[in-house]
Amino acid sequence: MEVSAKTKEHPESVTVNYEIPDDLAGLTATFGEAVVASNAKGAIVISLQAFIRRHIDKPKEELDKLVAAWKPDTRAASGPRKSPVEKTLELFQGMTPEARAELLKQLKDAQRAAQG
């Protein structure tokens, strides 16, 4: 398979060929059980950290329940998605009165400009 990498210092992508087996038996035969287990554990920890970040504002007890039900590479729906209007209203309600007034002024100005 082709594997590519680049960095800020070397923005041109460099590609190499490296055969990585597609199944557990092939991975274990090629790299050994300890290496496969270690790499799997590392990838699972990173995935779990990403899951925790998505729910970091939840109370600890709720987070613990979510983590207990979590499985790598699965995503459970976290409820119905908010519409853009709902998201905007939520953000608007969190603004200071001054910031709200400024935003409303900018929106009115933009509406007048769009109407010609």
Side-chain angles (χ1 to χ4, degrees), residues 8 11 13 21 27-28 30 33 40-41 44 53 58 65 91:
K8 287 181 183 178
S13 183
L27 289 166
T28 303
T30 302
E33 192 173 299
K41 185 176 180 179
I44 291 168
R53 285 185 197 99
K58 293 190 165 100
K65 288 179 185 177
L91 291 170

Side-chain angles (χ1 to χ4, degrees), residues 1-4 15-22 27 31:
M1 82 183 296
E2 288 188 349
V3 179
S4 299
T15 303
V16 299
N17 286 309
Y18 191 85
E19 292 307 315
I20 301 174
D22 291 325
L27 289 166
F31 301 111

Side-chain angles (χ1 to χ4, degrees), residues 15-75:
T15 303
V16 299
N17 286 309
Y18 191 85
E19 292 307 315
I20 301 174
D22 291 325
D23 62 5
L24 182 58
L27 289 166
T28 303
T30 302
F31 301 111
E33 192 173 299
V35 170
V36 173
S38 176
N39 279 272
K41 185 176 180 179
I44 291 168
V45 167
I46 290 168
S47 184
L48 179 56
Q49 288 171 329
F51 180 80
I52 292 167
R53 285 185 197 99
R54 287 194 300 274
H55 300 282
I56 203 153
D57 291 330
K58 293 190 165 100
K60 176 78 166 74
E61 291 172 358
E62 184 178 349
L63 181 59
D64 287 340
K65 288 179 185 177
L66 289 168
V67 167
W70 175 84
K71 299 283 185 235
D73 288 338
T74 59
R75 287 193 179 193

Side-chain angles (χ1 to χ4, degrees), residues 55-110:
H55 300 282
I56 203 153
D57 291 330
K58 293 190 165 100
K60 176 78 166 74
E61 291 172 358
E62 184 178 349
L63 181 59
D64 287 340
K65 288 179 185 177
L66 289 168
V67 167
W70 175 84
K71 299 283 185 235
D73 288 338
T74 59
R75 287 193 179 193
S78 58
R81 291 186 178 255
K82 294 179 185 175
S83 72
V85 171
E86 291 170 321
K87 289 178 190 177
T88 303
L89 284 173
E90 188 176 296
L91 291 170
F92 183 79
Q93 291 167 347
M95 297 171 79
T96 66
E98 296 81 15
R100 285 184 193 176
E102 178 60 28
L103 177 60
L104 288 172
K105 178 186 174 306
Q106 290 178 14
L107 289 171
K108 287 177 185 176
D109 291 345

